[in-house]
Amino acid sequence: MSEKSYISDIKPHKMYKNLYFVGSTEVSVHLIDTADGLVIIDTGYPHMYGKILDSIAYLGFDPARITAIFH
């Protein structure tokens, strides 16, 4: 994945322990890595779907591990 494959000028990054930012300047989307799978907080807008998945993969996580989404 190229350096600019994520959503916006905010690069996906680790915020604290198992909490990650995978959103944009438009909408904050957060990822929590748990023993039971990945949890997404907020989902962004429909047009962001692919880029959010790209941001998750950019951080080294498998989007197939998403077990819960809180919107």
Side-chain angles (χ1 to χ4, degrees):
M1 178 174 305
S2 74
E3 188 68 17
K4 282 299 192 179
S5 291
Y6 43 87
I7 295 172
S8 72
D9 58 336
I10 301 176
K11 185 175 180 178
H13 62 277
K14 184 175 194 173
M15 294 178 68
Y16 180 76
K17 295 189 179 185
N18 64 338
L19 175 65
Y20 299 83
F21 181 85
V22 293
S24 72
T25 54
E26 191 176 12
V27 175
S28 292
V29 180
H30 295 89
L31 172 79
I32 302 172
D33 182 23
T34 75
D36 295 324
L38 302 173
V39 175
I40 302 293
I41 299 176
D42 206 339
T43 57
Y45 296 111
H47 69 274
M48 299 169 69
Y49 173 77
K51 292 294 185 180
I52 290 170
L53 294 179
D54 287 348
S55 292
I56 292 168
Y58 178 85
L59 290 170
F61 296 107
D62 180 359
R65 289 190 55 231
I66 296 171
T67 57
I69 298 172
F70 297 96
H71 182 75

